Amino acid sequence: MKYYIISGEASGDLHGSNLMKALKQEDAQAEFRFWGGDLMQAEGGTLVKHYKDLAFMGFVEVVMNLKTIFGNIKFAKKDIEHYRPNAVILIDYPGFNLRIADFVKSLGIKVYYYISPQIWAWKTSRVHHIKKVVDKMFVILPFEQAFYKKYEMDVDFVGHPLLDALKEKDFTPKNEFLTQYHLPEKPIIALLPGSRNQEIKVKLPIMLSVMDEFPAYQFVIAGAPSQPKAFYESLLQGKAVPVVSNDTYNLLYHADAALVTSGTATLETALLNVPEVVCYKGNRISYEIGKRLIKHIQFISLVNLIMDQEIVKELIQQELNTQNLSIELRKILTEPHRSLMFQQYQDLREKLGGEGASHRTAKAIVQDLQQSLA
């Protein structure tokens, strides 16, 4: 069967690639056309657009790029209509994907949504739209099933695909990792400032500002696949800080602690058992608008949202400064904070359920398609 998949971010590329791998196991005739990244491209098929050309962060940034966004939506509709897939699989990226779902539904093509939009945080009214245009929703956070049930919508909780991604990862031994990236024998503090230009420019300088207070550690930047090293080097302000590009899991695996921008990376860091401080600072106008829209959510990190309590410290907007970051980093590098965080991470892992999210989703999609064609 023919599958058209749309993901618009680095995390969607990761989960999309694992889903494609699972779909090929369930459907030997699977053909793919997709929006994603290098990981999805490695699974075969045709890459239509790369996520690095799609990602715009915050209300102001989105408004500034509306012409590009609407042009991409128009292009996607034409491309889907021309390809005529058996199914369109949407991965998160709601502002774009829900507009595509409307159109796909009008063509009579099956619409599957893998990784629910975070409508439980804001725009809960979108659930009514989703009920109309999505044939099956696959959710990856344990509380999402109960959320949808309140609106009389049955969804499948498949577990979190990060558990699959981490299980399949072959980690490089530490001595080889240090040699590969020309790193000294010093404990590592990983810096994950995000993947988009805007967020990196804001957060990386603040993360780097605490370096001098931790001379026993080496700070190493996790370079996003979509960003050249020269971009990071332009922000270093004369500091000698190595950049490990497109190898974040290995970097985290060997790190003693991490400073992490909000998003999927907070959960990745926790599942790799690395104590972390969550850092968020965005466009002030975008943040103020978002804060007024998101009224009933206590936390911004997935770790804390899933556990419904503060497991990792979140430094948000003005709280994200050199003094606070230094205090919180020192805490997670020493006892008793480290041991407590490790125990809470174990509780988090258990709450997320077992491995196999990609395969459960792929199996359900193929079975549903086969039934509809019978």
Side-chain angles (χ1 to χ4, degrees), residues 56-66 69 198 282-283 286:
F56 301 106
M57 178 185 173
F59 296 96
V60 175
E61 294 79 8
V62 167
V63 170
M64 289 173 63
N65 290 280
L66 279 176
I69 293 168
Q198 301 139 257
N283 177 284
S286 295

Side-chain angles (χ1 to χ4, degrees), residues 27 41 52 74 86 138 204 213 218 220 229 311 330:
D27 176 7
Q41 192 167 24
K52 67 183 179 182
K74 184 177 180 181
N86 297 97
F138 302 97
L204 183 57
E213 298 184 46
Q218 58 178 319
V220 182
K229 278 191 178 183
I311 302 301
R330 201 171 301 280

Side-chain angles (χ1 to χ4, degrees), residues 1-16:
M1 285 181 279
K2 294 164 67 176
Y3 302 89
Y4 197 104
I5 307 174
I6 301 179
S7 67
E9 298 173 309
S11 59
D13 180 38
L14 170 65
H15 303 320

Side-chain angles (χ1 to χ4, degrees), residues 118-131:
Q118 295 179 355
I119 57 172
W120 36 266
W122 68 304
K123 291 192 176 180
T124 54
S125 60
R126 277 182 169 177
V127 70
H128 304 294
H129 182 204
I130 288 171
K131 284 176 71 173

Side-chain angles (χ1 to χ4, degrees), residues 134-318:
V134 174
D135 292 289
K136 269 188 176 293
M137 172 70 75
F138 302 97
V139 302
I140 63 172
L141 300 174
F143 59 81
E144 290 178 320
Q145 199 166 31
F147 167 80
Y148 277 101
K149 194 166 186 178
K150 288 192 301 184
Y151 295 91
E152 299 180 339
M153 183 175 176
D154 290 327
V155 300
D156 294 354
F157 171 57
V158 293
H160 205 291
L162 275 179
L163 295 170
D164 296 337
L166 294 175
K167 181 186 177 183
E168 294 174 8
K169 174 70 177 174
D170 290 323
F171 292 100
T172 305
K174 187 165 188 179
N175 62 328
E176 293 181 21
F177 177 78
L178 295 176
T179 300
Q180 180 181 355
Y181 293 107
H182 310 289
L183 302 175
E185 289 272 358
K186 287 175 73 173
I188 295 171
I189 294 174
L191 306 181
L192 281 68
S195 60
R196 304 180 182 100
N197 287 45
Q198 301 139 257
E199 59 185 349
I200 296 169
K201 284 179 180 177
V202 171
K203 294 168 195 167
L204 183 57
I206 301 172
M207 292 177 175
L208 293 171
S209 71
V210 302
M211 276 183 62
D212 293 341
E213 298 184 46
F214 299 88
Y217 295 86
Q218 58 178 319
F219 285 64
V220 182
I221 299 167
S226 56
Q227 299 293 351
K229 278 191 178 183
F231 172 65
Y232 295 98
E233 290 165 356
S234 71
L235 302 172
L236 295 184
Q237 301 171 341
K239 292 182 169 68
V241 186
V243 179
V244 170
S245 295
N246 201 20
D247 201 6
T248 301
Y249 283 176
N250 269 316
L251 175 59
L252 285 172
Y253 187 73
H254 297 302
D256 281 40
L259 307 180
V260 187
T261 196
S262 58
T264 304
T266 64
L267 185 56
E268 291 172 317
T269 303
L271 293 177
L272 284 166
N273 222 31
V274 183
E276 66 182 299
V277 181
V278 176
C279 306
Y280 178 84
K281 192 167 190 174
N283 177 284
R284 187 177 66 84
I285 297 173
S286 295
Y287 175 74
E288 291 299 328
I289 294 172
K291 189 169 68 172
R292 284 158 177 74
L293 291 173
I294 305 172
K295 295 178 180 177
H296 57 285
I297 297 297
Q298 281 184 279
F299 308 108
I300 63 167
S301 71
L302 279 173
V303 175
N304 293 341
L305 282 168
I306 293 165
M307 296 303 291
D308 198 25
Q309 59 178 305
E310 188 177 71
I311 302 301
V312 296
K313 182 64 178 178
E314 299 178 352
L315 296 177
I316 303 171
Q317 290 298 97
Q318 299 309 311

